[in-house]
Amino acid sequence: MLTTQQDRLMGEINNLVDVHGSERSALIPILQDIQKRYHTIGDFEMQVIADRLGIHPVEVYGVVTFYSFLNEGREGRFVIRLCRTISCDMAGKAAVAQQLRNDLGIEFGETTADGRFTLEWANCIGMCDQGPAMLVNGKVFTRVTPEMVHDILAACEKTFGPHTPQTEEEHAL
Amino acid sequence: MTIRNEITLASVVKNEGLAVALELKPAEVIKTVRDSGMKGRGGAGFPTGLKWEFAAREKGEKKFVICNADEGEPGTFKDRVLMSEWPDLIFEGMTLAGYAIGASEGVFYLRGEYTYLQAGLEKCLAARRKANLLGDNILGKEGFSFDIHIHMGCGAYVCGEETALIESLEGCRGEARNRPPFPVNTGLNGMPTIVNNVETFAWATAIMAKGADWFKAIGTDKSTGPKILSISGDVERPGVYEFPMGTTIDDVIEAAGGQDAKAVVIGGASGHCIPRTEFSRAISYEDVATGGSVIVFGPHRDMLDVAENFLEFFVDESCGQCTPCRIGNVKLLEGVRLLQLGECSTSYLQDLCSLGETMQCASKCGLGQSSPNAFLSIVKHFRNEILGRA
Ligand SMILES: Cc1cc2nc3c(=O)[nH]c(=O)nc-3n(C[C@H](O)[C@H](O)[C@H](O)COP(=O)(O)O)c2cc1C
Ligand code: SF4
Ligand code: FES
């Protein structure tokens, strides 16, 4: 990693510590912000956060690997989480899953080579009366059909320009 | 439309409950909640007034009120609807609970999957601060200060368990603690803490506004008040319904339009499977208890697939701290796959059932203790359907 990049990350983590505090209880809010901005929580970030909070980096690693919304591997810019739990299963989640695989060319748990999309399973997301349901970067889609998959992916693609910075809009989608 | 029948909370006048509570002494607020007979709406069914009384009696330099908005039990979505429709009633309930137990800080633990609800809830909190319904000397009550902040969860079902939730708030892995000590004694940061479900706080507000007698007149002797259910699966009208406690499964299913159901799972993945022959049983703490999840299965459904889906859920969500749950759920899942292949002997099925019973008593927290429930009840009621497959 370049020093300038490291400096930028350290600056960012310092800012987050100013916002959330340097208590242990600030750890998860800090990690959530890093995840949201960088789509991964790398070794360097974990080390710096550990130093700032005065805890061992293994403690940070333990937390990152425990929660499904925190990730030490790189996630795509758009994370699709399709509910696999029973009510969505009965409502036809398998066909939606297959179309997502077909259109993205990846399996669940994988990220597209261009780093745009990650496909994940979710456990019940509280939309069981309107399944199949899925989350795309936190936005909820209900009664998803295989036919809708293309349009949803296209809407994500649309927010990419050649050099677009990560915007709030992108996170909202 | 998600809301399918009349929800009494819609008729509760905002901030009336809080105003009534602040006119009373804290002990009288607790007495009112106790008199109502309300038990927790999150699943475990502990009497709410008693929990508050324990926390009130406990000494601590600080106390906390936590609202459990982790709603992770498969098939449950009523808290989502309450948070979208009546957030004021929930925050009001937390505030009056803070007054009752002597807490000045409230934490709203919202599951990460519900991040899209956060902005609306923050807006409601801001409006309440502005109206002096949160902050210092609330509604002019000298010396009563209380505020609430939202903490986002991170995608872990076990964090709905109250001690795992507290671990998570403290910045740790969501690994459940031994109980006792209970959170009312040693909770967040070691301080006395009450953890209650979203719906529990909303009904507490209604009880203060309408009185304990109103609440007690609804339901059964041991299960007072109305209960909000989330109904999904093979029904014509899935959604959120309110029924008095003690309503039969038959009546619930009929309201949602699932008359030909062959079975229903009540209480989500950690609940029990009830076959059609037992649909006259009642939804209540003394009979079929639930945090609100009702999943209906039509005549063509394979109950082994249901058991498989639930066990995959538990294998994924077990925190891995204790052996009965970490290994037991994997073994049960492998057993279900053997049954699907038609390769499970009757005696091995018996072994799986005793493993399930061991998990119920030897697991450290409620996740492992209840994870075999659905499997065991499906095996019990659908033996002929699951054995001897070709
Ligand atoms: C694995 C597990 C998950 C739980 N998830 C929730 C939940 O999402 N929401 C909830 O209110 N209670 C949940 N509970 C129950 C809580 O531990 C606790 O009993 C409840 O929040 C108390 O509130 P109540 O008395 O108002 O119901 C869960 C329990 C276990 C064992
Ligand atoms: S029962 Fe399961 S979830 Fe609970 S402590 Fe044990 S391993 Fe963790
Ligand atoms: S089962 Fe898919 S949202 Fe609940």
Side-chain angles (χ1 to χ4, degrees):
Chain A
M1 205 184 292
L2 296 171
T3 17
T4 47
Q5 215 179 334
Q6 290 196 344
D7 286 346
R8 191 168 59 106
L9 266 168
M10 274 171 93
E12 178 125 17
I13 290 167
N14 285 333
N15 289 343
L16 289 174
V17 171
D18 288 343
V19 175
H20 297 295
S22 57
E23 307 279 303
R24 172 81 198 232
S25 59
L27 176 59
I28 293 176
I30 291 172
L31 292 171
Q32 286 169 328
D33 283 351
I34 293 282
Q35 178 76 47
K36 188 170 165 189
R37 186 152 172 79
Y38 295 102
H39 309 277
T40 182
I41 303 170
D43 290 346
F44 179 77
E45 291 91 312
M46 288 196 242
Q47 180 68 59
V48 176
I49 293 169
D51 290 346
R52 285 304 319 264
L53 302 191
I55 54 179
H56 198 282
V58 158
E59 292 281 330
V60 180
Y61 181 76
V63 167
V64 170
T65 49
F66 184 87
Y67 294 96
S68 42
F69 288 3
L70 302 176
N71 213 325
E72 84 271 33
R74 186 163 287 279
E75 279 182 341
R77 298 276 278 276
F78 292 95
V79 181
I80 301 173
R81 298 176 199 276
L82 176 66
C83 174
R84 64 174 157 196
T85 309
I86 192 75
S87 300
C88 288
D89 184 70
M90 295 196 288
K93 128 241 152 184
V96 176
Q98 190 53 38
Q99 202 52 44
L100 282 165
R101 286 189 191 98
N102 293 345
D103 285 10
L104 291 172
I106 52 172
E107 258 306 316
F108 281 78
E110 294 180 350
T111 299
T112 53
D114 61 7
R116 291 188 177 196
F117 294 99
T118 296
L119 193 51
E120 294 280 355
W121 290 118
N123 292 325
C124 181
I125 58 171
M127 279 289 168
C128 333
D129 56 332
Q130 302 163 47
M134 67 185 197
L135 291 168
V136 182
N137 283 8
K139 184 176 161 42
V140 69
F141 291 85
T142 59
R143 297 195 179 93
V144 182
T145 59
E147 194 185 348
M148 283 161 69
V149 165
H150 176 78
D151 289 346
I152 294 170
L153 296 181
C156 295
E157 299 271 7
K158 231 175 51 192
T159 66
F160 285 111
H163 299 289
T164 16
Q166 290 152 30
T167 59
E168 279 304 309
E169 195 186 326
E170 175 186 324
H171 286 297
L173 195 115
Chain B
M1 211 17 219
T2 292
I3 300 175
R4 296 288 187 171
N5 69 3
E6 203 172 315
I7 309 285
T8 312
L9 293 170
S11 66
V12 176
V13 181
K14 260 198 249 175
N15 303 314
E16 192 174 303
L18 181 60
V20 169
L22 295 184
E23 291 292 311
L24 300 172
K25 292 199 182 73
E28 293 168 331
V29 174
I30 293 176
K31 186 172 182 304
T32 307
V33 177
R34 279 199 73 165
D35 288 348
S36 76
M38 176 167 62
K39 294 179 179 167
R41 264 36 185 173
F46 191 82
T48 306
L50 194 58
K51 186 184 279 188
W52 293 13
E53 194 171 316
F54 288 151
R57 266 199 248 140
E58 199 68 26
K59 297 222 180 335
E61 48 186 276
K62 255 193 125 159
K63 292 181 186 178
F64 294 99
V65 172
I66 296 178
C67 180
N68 188 342
D70 198 50
E71 190 161 64
E73 191 61 58
T76 315
F77 45 92
K78 46 108 190 161
D79 292 345
R80 161 176 61 83
V81 173
L82 297 185
M83 288 185 273
S84 317
E85 299 288 326
W86 301 290
D88 277 294
L89 297 186
I90 305 163
F91 294 140
E92 198 181 331
M94 290 176 73
T95 310
L96 64 89
Y99 176 70
I101 71 163
S104 58
E105 202 177 323
V107 183
F108 196 86
Y109 190 96
L110 181 64
R111 70 183 305 212
E113 290 82 347
Y114 286 170
T115 301
Y116 57 88
L117 295 177
Q118 191 184 1
L121 294 168
E122 293 283 10
K123 206 169 135 198
C124 179
L125 285 176
R128 294 186 70 79
R129 281 185 200 111
K130 215 164 154 201
N132 190 224
L133 297 160
L134 286 173
D136 292 330
N137 304 323
I138 291 173
L139 291 179
K141 183 83 185 178
E142 208 54 49
F144 174 53
S145 300
F146 190 80
D147 211 332
I148 299 171
H149 76 268
I150 299 178
H151 180 100
M152 295 309 301
C154 238
Y157 164 71
V158 68
C159 287
E161 197 281 334
E162 55 186 17
T163 63
L165 188 156
I166 290 170
E167 284 288 317
S168 172
L169 282 176
E170 293 179 358
C172 300
R173 294 161 66 88
E175 291 175 344
R177 298 173 179 172
N178 282 321
R179 295 179 336 145
F182 294 100
V184 287
N185 309 117
T186 312
L188 183 58
N189 302 331
M191 295 298 155
T193 302
I194 55 165
V195 181
N196 280 115
N197 174 252
V198 167
E199 187 189 341
T200 308
F201 282 119
W203 287 124
T205 301
I207 289 165
M208 293 316 298
K210 293 176 176 249
D213 289 339
W214 158 77
F215 194 82
K216 225 167 82 178
I218 302 164
T220 70
D221 283 352
K222 285 189 179 141
S223 309
T224 58
K227 177 78 187 96
I228 301 180
L229 300 179
S230 320
I231 308 183
S232 65
D234 296 318
V235 289
E236 285 156 33
R237 295 174 294 278
V240 162
Y241 291 77
E242 176 182 311
F243 292 99
M245 280 284 190
T247 303
T248 64
I249 295 170
D250 253 332
D251 288 347
V252 168
I253 290 182
E254 193 188 319
Q259 279 80 340
D260 58 352
K262 80 171 187 188
V264 50
V265 169
I266 299 204
S270 48
H272 294 268
C273 176
I274 312 281
R276 188 179 182 87
T277 48
E278 295 182 15
F279 280 3
S280 58
R281 292 176 66 183
I283 293 183
S284 62
Y285 297 105
E286 61 270 31
D287 193 355
V288 187
T290 173
S293 168
V294 176
I295 308 173
V296 181
F297 298 93
H300 57 295
R301 298 292 178 187
D302 182 345
M303 297 315 286
L304 212 42
D305 290 347
V306 177
E308 182 189 28
N309 189 280
F310 286 165
L311 285 165
E312 283 172 348
F313 172 80
F314 286 118
V315 168
D316 198 42
E317 295 290 355
S318 164
C319 86
Q321 244 191 123
C322 70
T323 318
C325 168
R326 184 184 63 242
I327 314 272
N329 282 305
V330 172
K331 286 286 154 199
L332 293 185
L333 178 58
E334 286 170 7
V336 166
R337 301 231 160 104
L338 283 182
L339 284 161
Q340 285 170 331
L341 292 170
E343 290 172 4
C344 184
S345 68
T346 312
S347 73
Y348 189 62
L349 182 60
Q350 195 43 49
D351 288 347
L352 290 173
C353 290
S354 37
L355 171 65
E357 284 157 19
T358 304
M359 291 161 66
Q360 286 174 327
C361 59
S363 295
K364 183 172 176 180
C365 84
L367 188 151
Q369 288 159 11
S370 57
S371 61
N373 291 350
F375 171 80
L376 291 174
S377 49
I378 286 171
V379 170
K380 181 172 164 202
H381 297 298
F382 293 95
R383 250 184 135 70
N384 273 332
E385 183 180 312
I386 65 177
L387 280 171
R389 296 204 174 184

